[in-house]
Amino acid sequence: MASPQLSQFRRIVVKVGSALLVDSDKGEVRASWLAALADDMARLHREGRDVLVVSSGSIALGRSRLKLPRGALKLEESQAAAAVGQIALARIWSEVLGAHGIGAGQILVTLQDTEERRRYLNARSTIGKLLEWRAIPVINENDTVATNEIRYGDNDRLAARVATMASADLLVLLSDIDGLYDAPPKNNPNAKLIPVVDSISSEIEAVAGDAGSELSRGGMRTKVEAAKIATTGGTHMLIASGKIEHPLQAIADGGRCTWFLTPANPITSRKRWIAGSLEPKGTITIDAGAVAALRAGASLLPAGVIKVEGQFARGDAVIVRGPDTSEVGRGLIAYDAEDAERIKGRSSPDVMAILGISGRSEMIHRDDLVVGG
């Protein structure tokens, strides 16, 4: 299968690892390289694409600022170093993107934020609003609070979860190697780059190696794991070298990389998950006008709701029924059952007066809704 082109994608997540971002000898950011990467991102941004960054580097920068010795850190030491480094990392991204007139928004997440539906919806909504405002979200694992039990441990898999959460159609993992090889290239001079992976087979998993850098907690194995997450969620993924300047432009120019392809797209994969994988916790009955609006592709507004049943929390799956009780669809509700009951049948401007907060204008957003035939 032919490799896709960077120009085909509308929403792109770029993962940048510590080993690329930080000079381990000097303990400082590779300023020239980062400026070149920001140039690439700004070019995509000007073309109207949504760009997100998953950036490592907080612990590496923190230990440099604190002048900590080399070697492994205890959990509490890593968390304290991250607390210092996150400030530096946010400032660095703000400055390099601000040079192009682009705002940067920092989002810190843990494993639970992408697995627990309420937190998932909050993070997804925040990312969506930043992109709507044409800012670039800069996302990192919240190393200051994540324990070993609730952390990813590498930003490759975090980037894949972020990509599917944001309905991105492409995830770019910038690495110290230009792709996946059929054998470890350091040990085998005859190793060949695999340009396209149509599906992740046991053979593909077998050729993945482990991390090779002091600053990197990932490795090719975690990148293949990330590819599984991304492609299952309808997101294409590629691995490319980040050791060169302007790495995204190099990809656009047809540079060496490995593409992991998905047969789906982010929206259909997400809706398949909503429709078939989640147990409904309640039922929302809507009027005929709302049924027609949903079938035309609209979101469900409180004004169209005539009945609320069940005990559900924000982010839970609910069944949507028409006035004749037939099932219209299923979706992720944006309000707890109690609040949904209070605002049913009311216009969106009334929501703030009733709840005391502005809330969301949609009871169920169309991206979180699967409408039956």
Side-chain angles (χ1 to χ4, degrees), residues 83-331:
V84 174
Q86 279 169 358
I87 295 174
L89 189 65
R91 178 180 58 78
I92 288 162
W93 278 108
S94 180
E95 289 177 353
V96 297
L97 294 173
H100 296 275
I102 301 171
Q106 185 187 48
I107 301 176
L108 300 175
V109 297
T110 66
L111 176 65
Q112 288 181 335
D113 294 324
T114 59
E115 292 196 337
E116 198 271 321
R117 285 198 295 279
R118 180 186 292 259
R119 296 185 186 184
Y120 173 98
L121 282 184
N122 283 335
R124 178 179 166 86
S125 297
T126 300
I127 289 171
K129 185 56 67 175
L130 286 170
L131 295 174
E132 180 184 324
W133 289 341
R134 299 302 291 151
I136 291 183
V138 179
I139 302 155
N140 191 9
E141 183 157 22
N142 195 349
D143 289 308
T144 61
V145 300
T147 63
N148 288 330
E149 290 77 20
I150 63 169
R151 65 174 297 110
Y152 281 90
D154 69 86
N155 273 359
D156 293 329
R157 285 174 288 200
L158 172 61
R161 286 293 182 92
V162 167
T164 58
M165 181 169 63
S167 295
D169 44 9
L170 177 63
L171 167 61
V172 177
L173 298 186
L174 296 179
S175 177
D176 57 359
I177 192 171
D178 55 8
L180 178 67
Y181 284 75
D182 61 4
K186 287 185 178 180
N187 304 329
N188 187 342
N190 296 318
K192 295 180 180 178
L193 179 75
I194 303 172
V196 178
V197 176
D198 295 323
S199 62
I200 300 173
S201 63
S202 57
E203 288 79 12
I204 291 297
E205 292 181 292
V207 301
D210 293 318
S213 164
E214 177 184 335
L215 293 180
S216 173
R217 290 176 296 186
M220 195 55 68
R221 188 177 303 279
T222 65
K223 288 174 175 55
V224 171
E225 290 294 326
K228 285 184 187 178
I229 296 169
T231 55
T232 299
T235 300
H236 293 285
M237 194 190 93
L238 69 84
I239 301 170
S241 175
K243 298 177 76 172
I244 59 174
E245 291 203 349
H246 297 286
L248 299 181
Q249 187 57 48
I251 295 167
D253 293 339
R256 288 167 63 85
C257 62
T258 296
W259 288 88
F260 293 82
L261 306 184
T262 176
N265 67 63
I267 299 299
T268 57
S269 293
R270 174 176 170 76
K271 293 197 172 187
R272 190 180 305 119
W273 170 66
I274 292 171
S277 301
L278 300 178
E279 179 186 355
K281 299 296 179 64
T283 300
I284 303 295
T285 303
I286 62 177
D287 60 30
V291 172
L294 297 193
R295 295 199 186 284
S299 298
L300 175 61
L301 303 180
V305 178
I306 57 180
K307 188 176 182 181
V308 175
E309 300 173 277
Q311 293 299 315
F312 52 81
R314 187 174 107 76
D316 282 341
V318 296
I319 296 173
V320 179
R321 297 190 184 279
D324 61 354
T325 72
S326 63
E327 183 171 329
V328 177
R330 300 185 179 208

Side-chain angles (χ1 to χ4, degrees), residues 34-46:
L34 184 58
L37 176 62
D39 287 343
D40 290 353
M41 292 179 177
R43 185 178 300 108
L44 294 171
H45 191 268
R46 286 193 300 271

Side-chain angles (χ1 to χ4, degrees), residues 10-42:
R10 61 170 186 85
R11 181 169 292 178
I12 302 170
V13 176
V14 181
K15 183 264 180 176
V16 180
S18 292
L20 296 176
L21 189 69
V22 180
D23 185 320
S24 59
D25 294 327
K26 299 179 180 178
E28 294 294 335
V29 167
R30 301 178 194 271
S32 174
W33 177 86
L34 184 58
L37 176 62
D39 287 343
D40 290 353
M41 292 179 177

